[in-house]
Amino acid sequence: VQLQASGGGLVQPGGSLRVSCAASGFRLDDYVIAWFRQAPGKAREGVSCSSSRDDSTWLSDPVKGRFTITRDGAKNTVYLQMNSLRPEDTAVYYCAAGKFSAYGCYVDVDYLNYWGKGTQVTVSS
């Protein structure tokens, strides 16, 4: 069972980037998937989540209206499309997976059992 985040890079403010979370050993559509980020010197924060059980999604306030979470079941991959990027979006982005909840998707780390290595996103001119 493995998760791998990829697609990070350097982008100018106002630009776009799409990071991917690919799974091996299990189907992402059978799990809640969450995205987190951690900037240097800051605590890890939940950014977005998705549950295919009820098609629920959630975006944190700092990224709402700019980021979108989507799934591709055929590719067993979840994407985080990031538009209108800002320098404060600079962080290592991680994806995680956990069991379905009756209450939709979540970013509670206590219930996210599988974590991938992160991918660095840097927003700078």
Side-chain angles (χ1 to χ4, degrees), residues 6-122:
S6 63
L10 173 65
V11 62
Q12 292 188 342
S16 297
L17 206 60
R18 188 179 75 167
V19 290
S20 304
C21 177
S24 59
F26 66 101
R27 282 175 18 102
L28 283 181
D29 276 352
D30 292 338
Y31 289 81
V32 167
I33 303 300
W35 281 98
F36 291 80
R37 66 185 182 185
Q38 187 164 23
K42 294 189 176 182
R44 180 176 53 189
E45 64 171 325
V47 174
S48 183
C49 65
S50 167
S51 173
S52 60
R53 180 183 183 184
D54 55 8
D55 290 329
S56 61
T57 60
W58 172 84
L59 292 164
S60 66
D61 285 344
V63 307
K64 201 171 293 182
R66 301 186 297 122
F67 290 13
T68 306
I69 186 170
T70 58
R71 292 174 174 262
D72 186 333
K75 294 184 178 180
N76 208 25
T77 300
V78 174
Y79 302 100
L80 186 67
Q81 176 68 44
M82 305 183 291
N83 299 328
S84 302
L85 282 162
R86 305 167 180 168
E88 54 264 39
D89 295 319
T90 296
V92 178
Y93 283 71
Y94 301 88
C95 59
K99 292 181 179 179
F100 284 140
S101 163
Y103 306 101
C105 73
Y106 53 86
V107 291
D108 189 333
V109 300
D110 290 341
Y111 298 97
L112 293 162
N113 306 111
Y114 307 109
W115 290 79
K117 292 183 181 179
T119 184
Q120 175 70 47
V121 172
T122 302

